[in-house]
Amino acid sequence: QGWTMNGGCTGTIAPTTAPSFGTLNLVAGGCPQDYDENNLSGIEAGDQVSLVVSAAPTERRVVYECKSGAVSAYCSNAAFIPGGQYSAMAWDLKGYCDGTISPTAAPTAYINADQPTAPAQCTSPATVKECYFEKDVTTTGVTCTCSDADCPNPDGLTGNACKKDVTVTTCPSVDAYSSSATYEAGDVVRIGTKKFQCKAWPYYLWCGNSAYEPSLEAGVWTDAWSEIGDCP
């Protein structure tokens, strides 16, 4: 039940070199790190891996790149192994490779390290990451002394009966996009080292919708997000 008879044959087929890379492009710079189904944590959109497809007469490798968008989450799932049954859902075949690539090559997850000293304008958190963005946070109704110059007192009150709004600059880490997060205008996320900023009203209403998740490829995500550069 698993096979269909196609007919008969005579003679022998001419031997060919397998696999044939005649239609594949050479990925410049050498081969990225081997795909290891036992060590898939940290793989993100845009990361590349190499896969041995033939060991004889010479070792031959092909390169796969993790897709952008929501499907990039599949790249860290062994069920979506490059070249496997569900490979096309998570990986793009980029070509073949030769030699070795530098140790910093993908798939090395971006490490957003702590800065030794927080920038002067950052009131929080206590430790600021290398890749961060500035976000003003306003607290309304803060009690203040009515006689202070920065304390509004339109009603001529005395003592601590007055209120004011206090705005401070926070410096959150630029983290990977999450469909479960709530995003506001000006918030920044990243894919690898590439940064994307949530647009102003009314477009920010789409930023938390996974259909508008930022991608390294063109798409509808540009209605909600703007690419703004790279992390250091």
Side-chain angles (χ1 to χ4, degrees), residues 51-117:
L51 201 68
V52 177
V53 292
S54 175
T58 59
E59 185 176 83
R60 295 172 179 268
R61 293 173 175 268
V62 291
V63 177
Y64 287 88
E65 183 174 280
C66 182
K67 289 178 178 286
S68 299
V71 295
S72 64
Y74 297 148
C75 296
S76 56
N77 186 327
F80 297 86
I81 180 174
Q85 181 179 0
Y86 306 111
S87 173
M89 297 176 64
W91 300 90
D92 288 324
L93 176 61
K94 305 302 291 185
Y96 71 97
C97 64
D98 186 27
T100 57
I101 203 168
S102 60
T104 56
T108 299
Y110 174 72
I111 299 175
N112 198 0
D114 296 340
Q115 293 195 44
T117 304

Side-chain angles (χ1 to χ4, degrees), residues 194-219:
K194 191 71 65 179
K195 297 189 296 182
F196 301 83
Q197 186 173 54
C198 180
K199 292 185 175 182
W201 187 91
Y203 308 105
Y204 80 88
L205 297 171
W206 296 329
C207 291
N209 186 326
S210 60
Y212 295 87
E213 178 178 351
S215 169
L216 299 178
E217 302 170 359

